[in-house]
Structures are given as structure tokens and as C-alpha cells.
Amino acid sequence: MTSVGSHPTETGRRDVVLAAREVAKHFPIKEGVLQRVAGHVKAVDGVSFEIRRGQTLGLVGESGCGKTTLGRVVAGLSEPTAGAVLFDIDSETLAAYDGGSSVGDIETAHKVDALTGDAYRRFRRNCQMVFQDSFASLNPRHLTIDIVGRPLRVHKEASGSGLTERVVELLEQVGLGRQHLYRYPHQFSGGQRQRISIARALALDPELIVLDEPTSALDVSVQAQILNLLHELQQANDLTYLFITHDLGVVRHMADHIVVMYLGTVAESGPTSAIFENQHHPYTKALLGASPDVDAAEEFTGLEGSVPDPAHPPQGCRFHTRCPVATARCGWEVDDVVRWIEDEPGAAGRLAGVKRDSAFAAELAFDDAATAAVVVDAIRSGRIHASMPEAVLKAESRDSRVDVEFGAVPDVELSVRGPGHVAACVHESLLDL
Ligand SMILES: Nc1ncnc2c1ncn2[C@@H]1O[C@H](COP(=O)(O)OP(=O)(O)OP(=O)(O)O)[C@@H](O)[C@H]1O
Ligand code: SF4
Ligand SMILES: [Mg+2]
């Protein structure tokens, strides 16, 4: 990874285009006539990364893990619930911020939702977003010239024939031309529409473009053309990209660094070569296994089960409900037992109530004593999960009730695995598993 130094370069531009620090975005869940807040969807829950000038950061994860939410926060389209998005900052200042020095002053100068006046306008024009669904993001009643020319008009960059010529120039940059000026979005193919979205994003000559699944709605051959186009534009215009995708294979040849997200948090993050050659998180391995473009390790041939509800993320490691190599230290909790009961033909429908002391301890009430005994046996024998017997502190039945308690486990933190490479897993290495 190159570093341009700690101060603005001759062009006045700093080496870190964007830094996210412990960014969270929680959406309230409202219920009833009074719309009382009954909980929160923790769509993004403490994510940090930085993107260096001219580089591409790949943000990867399954559907629902918070990629779009994070992309929108980073692009200034939505405010974070907590944490900071810092724009155009040099590494030295960022290190001072991380060390807790001059936090207030640094935030005034760089924190996106604290910027005002010219600084805010500078951010707005320098950070653009391209969305997956080009149909939804392009106004169907507007002609290409109006769509691509709008940012130029709004920022008073061009008008009249000057605007037309600038739009033609932008269209040519993305492989379209003058003949497309007076057409509506529905008169283009999906790939062409995405080219128009990219031309619009380029109009103000931005520093950063957040690309949210820009190719996932396209055929494979068109996908490759758009990826090539993005690559060429990056070289020509010194662009920095945040590339969001659910498919690791897509960013393999685009990204310098990859952040793998799971359920609102970072599972693993590292240089692209490290992520492809030496994964330290089972989720990364499983994602690689699920990618059609990547030869997967045999033991991780894909992902089973669905992503848990981000309003109630699992304790300990959020991935423990699906992890093929989970251990007793990974966060087993009452919900894991409840989920098993709901899916188990002999026990489903017989759970009458759950009285929780915490996520790790509860009294389960059943319709009959026989089911209570089956559940205790399933916990103790490892039928629910092989590592559960080691994690459980108490599993006892009293008639139709079961007292169950697991050792409380904190969140699994990210730890360093190599230069610029971190992962949140209790295993120090996956090589021997
Ligand atoms: N405005 C909102 N209000 C409430 N919940 C939301 C809102 N926007 C997103 N969510 C929830 O936040 C979680 C993350 O959604 P997000 O769209 O960021 O995921 P994603 O990773 O982009 O998924 P996909 O790959 O399907 O695009 C989901 O559970 C989603 O339902
Ligand atoms: S900490 Fe590692 S081993 Fe444990 S569940 Fe998470 S990913 Fe799997
Ligand atoms: Mg999305």
C-alpha cells in the first residue's frame, strides 16, 4: 500500500481519502399505534477502515450484512448513529485522532456530518455514489443530457452549449456518445444504463466514488466490460473507489484491500492478496467457497443457513450459528437452544415460554416433562452443537422446565494476523483445521 506522506501533496490532496472509525447505524423498530421504539436493527455496528488515494477498497458480505447502509453513511447520504466518517485526511492527523489527540479540531475539519459551508460543498462534489439498480436511480422521465448534466447545473459548472459538450465528453468517457443525449433510461440496456450512472457520478470530477453492487444486475460479459471501464476510469482520473459487492470474485482484480462484513461488523480485513491466499476467518473462507469465480478450499464449500436477524445479533462471535469450526468459546447462548427446539420435529411447538436472566441464562418451560428431558439431553450430548457440552454451565430439568446457563462470552475482537490484516476469530490460524 502506498503512502503519499503525512501532509497534503502539492495538489493539496491528502493521502487518506476517507476513514471510517467505529461507524454504527441502528434503525429503530417501531411498533403499535403509538409507534413506540421496540428495538433497533443494528445494520452497521462499529466498522472501521480507511481508503487511500487512488486505491479501491472492496466491501464484501452477504445480503443484509449492512453494505448499502454503510455505503450511504460513508457517502454522507445518511448520518451515523455513532462513530465518525473522516474525509480527506493525512495519515499523521488520522494517527493523532486514533490516539485521542485534538479530536474536536480534527472532527471539525474532517468529520463528514460536522462539515459546513465550503468544506461541506467540497465533500458533496468529491464523493459520489453509483447504485446497483440503474432503473431506480435514473429518473425515467429525464433524458440522458438532463441526467448526466444535472450535477453540472446544480453546482453551476456549465450551461447551454458548454453543458452539452461536457455531457458528450462524459458519455464518451464511459463508451457512449452524442447519439445517446436525447434518449430516456428505458431506451438503454442494463449495461448502458450503468454507464450513464457512472457518467453522472464522474460529472463533478470527484475524488471518491462509492459503487454499490454496480455490476451484480448485469450479465457476466457486460459485468466484465463495466469492471474494465471502472478500472480505466480510475487510472485516467486518479479515482478512489469503495466497491461494494456480495461476490468476492468480482473485486479480486479491482481491490487493493478488502473488508469482509458479517452482520454489521468486520469479520476480516486485509490486503487483497492476504484475503485470497491466507484467510483467517471461516466466513471469508466460506464466502470464497460460495463465489463461482474462486477455487474453494474443500472444507468450506459454501454457506449454510441464513444471516441472523440484525435486531438480535448472536452473542460472542456473530458467525457462531453458521460456523463450521465453532468452539466452546464462540458465544453459545439461550437463543441457540431455542432455535434448535423450533427446528426439531420432536420438540417444535412444545416450548411454552422462555424466562431470561440474560442472553446466556434462562428457564425454558415446555408442555411436558418428556420434551424438557430431550432438550437437556440434546444440550449435554452435543446434539445441538458438538462444542455446546463444553460451553454449558448448567442444563437441568425440573418436571417440564429446564434451567440452562452458558458461560458469558464477550464479542470476539479483531486481532492482527499480518501487515494490514486483521480478523475476528478465536482460532489463531485456520491452516490446521
Ligand atoms: N431504512 C431502514 N430501516 C430499517 N432497517 C433497515 C433500513 N435499511 C436497511 N435496513 C436493514 O439493515 C440491514 C442491512 O441492510 P443493507 O441494505 O445495508 O444490507 P446489504 O448488505 O446492502 O444487503 P444487499 O446485499 O441485499 O444489498 C438489513 O437487515 C435491512 O433490513
Ligand atoms: S470465533 Fe471463529 S471459530 Fe468461533 S464461531 Fe466465530 S468464526 Fe467460527
Ligand atoms: Mg445493498
Side-chain angles (χ1 to χ4, degrees):
M1 213 179 274
T2 51
S3 173
V4 188
S6 53
H7 291 289
T9 59
E10 321 80 76
T11 55
R13 304 195 303 173
R14 300 170 175 93
D15 59 331
V16 177
V17 174
L18 190 117
R21 288 297 181 262
E22 292 298 322
V23 169
K25 181 74 187 181
H26 296 177
F27 296 106
I29 303 167
K30 294 182 181 163
E31 277 180 8
V33 190
L34 297 175
Q35 289 286 285
R36 255 204 300 268
V37 176
H40 286 88
V41 176
K42 294 166 186 148
V44 178
D45 210 14
V47 172
S48 300
F49 58 77
E50 60 244 14
I51 321 179
R52 290 178 182 272
R53 189 168 298 283
Q55 297 208 333
T56 297
L57 182 97
L59 183 63
V60 184
E62 281 166 289
S63 182
C65 74
K67 303 180 298 295
T68 296
T69 304
L70 182 57
R72 288 176 55 81
V73 168
V74 158
L77 301 176
S78 141
E79 282 197 7
T81 309
V85 178
L86 305 165
F87 179 66
D88 192 27
I89 184 166
D90 60 85
S91 330
E92 203 172 87
T93 308
L94 187 58
Y97 183 82
D98 290 339
S101 317
S102 311
V103 168
D105 290 346
I106 295 171
E107 290 195 342
T108 306
H110 298 282
K111 191 167 174 245
V112 166
D113 54 355
L115 298 177
T116 54
D118 283 350
Y120 178 70
R121 277 189 288 280
R122 221 191 116 235
F123 167 73
R124 277 260 49 96
R125 60 175 301 153
N126 271 303
C127 181
Q128 300 293 324
M129 191 155 178
V130 170
F131 302 90
Q132 170 181 355
D133 185 352
S134 55
F135 238 142
S137 66
L138 302 179
N139 189 324
R141 286 185 293 277
H142 285 182
L143 295 163
T144 309
I145 183 166
D146 299 321
I147 292 169
V148 178
R150 188 163 188 275
L152 296 166
R153 262 200 313 277
V154 169
H155 286 259
K156 300 191 173 49
E157 289 276 310
S159 59
S161 62
L163 186 133
T164 307
E165 288 319 303
R166 176 76 182 122
V167 172
V168 171
E169 216 175 276
L170 287 161
L171 290 177
E172 286 173 351
Q173 274 198 50
V174 299
L176 299 173
R178 191 178 292 275
Q179 69 275 25
H180 298 111
L181 277 176
Y182 298 99
R183 289 195 201 164
Y184 292 98
H186 75 268
Q187 296 173 298
F188 292 97
S189 68
Q192 285 175 321
R193 268 198 302 276
Q194 206 51 300
R195 287 173 191 266
I196 293 171
S197 299
I198 295 167
R200 176 177 60 181
L202 290 174
L204 297 169
D205 195 17
E207 294 178 10
L208 173 70
I209 304 186
V210 176
L211 301 152
D212 187 2
E213 305 263 13
T215 61
S216 43
L218 306 174
D219 291 347
V220 176
S221 62
V222 184
Q223 204 174 76
Q225 289 168 16
I226 299 288
L227 291 176
N228 283 338
L229 170 68
L230 289 168
H231 190 67
E232 286 163 18
L233 290 170
Q234 182 167 41
Q235 304 295 312
N237 300 330
D238 192 21
L239 288 166
T240 304
Y241 290 151
L242 173 60
F243 195 120
I244 295 172
T245 174
H246 62 275
D247 183 353
L248 259 169
V250 169
V251 280
R252 181 172 203 166
H253 302 293
M254 287 282 294
D256 300 280
H257 194 98
I258 288 176
V259 172
V260 178
M261 264 181 90
Y262 187 73
L263 212 55
T265 60
V266 175
E268 182 165 10
S269 157
T272 304
S273 55
I275 295 293
F276 278 89
E277 286 152 28
N278 186 17
Q279 307 86 38
H280 274 257
H281 199 288
Y283 181 60
T284 312
K285 263 191 184 284
L287 267 188
L288 279 167
S291 173
D293 300 351
V294 180
D295 290 334
E298 273 172 36
E299 69 275 33
F300 295 92
T301 48
L303 278 157
E304 285 182 14
S306 52
V307 181
D309 179 1
H312 303 284
Q315 300 295 315
C317 173
R318 291 184 181 197
F319 188 51
H320 81 252
T321 59
R322 304 166 77 196
C323 180
V325 290
T327 73
R329 296 173 289 151
C330 294
W332 298 106
E333 58 182 308
V334 173
D335 274 349
D336 295 310
V337 177
V338 170
R339 256 190 304 272
W340 179 85
I341 293 166
E342 284 164 355
D343 290 343
E344 176 65 21
R350 301 212 175 120
L351 181 63
V354 181
K355 207 160 86 192
R356 289 168 201 273
D357 291 331
S358 72
F360 297 101
E363 182 192 84
L364 310 177
F366 292 92
D367 291 341
D368 55 88
T371 310
V374 166
V375 169
V376 167
D377 180 63
I379 296 170
R380 287 198 189 148
S381 66
R383 228 173 108 205
I384 299 180
H385 192 278
S387 61
M388 207 175 255
E390 203 189 320
V392 75
L393 299 179
K394 185 177 184 187
E396 286 165 11
S397 63
R398 290 175 287 117
D399 300 327
S400 59
R401 291 170 193 277
V402 171
D403 288 318
V404 59
E405 185 179 352
F406 295 95
V409 169
D411 289 352
V412 179
E413 303 283 343
L414 289 165
S415 61
V416 176
R417 307 302 171 109
H421 186 180
V422 291
C425 178
V426 297
H427 293 293
E428 280 176 22
S429 163
L430 301 182
L431 292 176
D432 301 329
L433 297 176

